[in-house]
Amino acid sequence: MAVVDLYGLGVRSRVETLGTRADELTDAVRRAWSRCLTPGGGEAEGGRFTLELSEGGDVGSPRDAAPGKLTALASADPDALLQSLTQAVTAASIQARTGELLMFHAGAVAEVRSGAALGFVAPGGTGKTTLARRLGASLGYLTDETVGV
């Protein structure tokens, strides 16, 4: 078992990897969340998650995630498991900061040296993720999901 703490929107979510492939899964979580591994200060409690690569099919749902609640996610497909984790961490983080932040379904990038950020809000399916990925190649990618102010 390994533990990875993820930080975003001023929220800390704890992820524990389980099973015989825990090391592989921990490495995948660290790669996927590489920009969310350092505390930013003032972290509220987010979700707590267990992840396991299992041969028994999918277990758990990202819809079950909530601040302070333990949510177990398992799948034989590592990509599906990481996608479920993303959805669950995002949902728990939004819930943890509801009433404290004005949140937008948005993308954001940052100028790495100054830390100045640019957020862009648009309806779903209009290219926020594409824009975040393209600009994030030369600027610092922050999110293509939720921006909190």
Side-chain angles (χ1 to χ4, degrees):
M1 177 184 81
V3 175
V4 180
D5 287 333
L6 305 176
Y7 301 90
L9 292 174
V11 175
R12 179 183 56 85
S13 293
R14 176 152 286 181
V15 179
E16 295 180 13
T17 56
L18 307 174
T20 58
R21 296 173 65 189
D23 290 341
E24 172 190 347
L25 189 52
T26 299
D27 290 343
V29 169
R30 287 185 189 280
R31 275 192 311 276
W33 290 85
S34 64
R35 295 183 185 225
C36 298
L37 298 175
T38 304
E43 276 71 36
E45 181 179 10
R48 296 180 306 134
F49 306 94
T50 61
L51 298 182
E52 185 171 8
L53 286 169
S54 69
E55 301 305 321
D58 296 346
V59 177
S61 169
R63 291 183 298 274
D64 298 332
K69 180 179 179 185
L70 180 62
T71 302
L73 301 170
S75 177
D77 179 357
D79 292 334
L81 190 54
L82 289 174
Q83 178 65 35
S84 290
L85 177 64
T86 297
Q87 293 169 347
V89 168
T90 299
S93 297
I94 289 171
Q95 286 180 29
R97 296 304 303 267
T98 297
E100 298 174 11
L101 294 177
L102 181 59
M103 290 181 263
F104 299 93
H105 180 89
V109 293
E111 200 288 313
V112 178
R113 288 187 196 142
S114 70
L118 169 68
F120 32 94
V121 180
T126 60
K128 292 182 301 298
T129 297
T130 301
L131 183 60
R133 287 183 180 157
R134 290 210 176 140
L135 292 176
S138 59
L139 298 169
Y141 170 90
L142 294 175
T143 184
D144 61 10
E145 178 58 40
T146 305
V147 172
V149 179

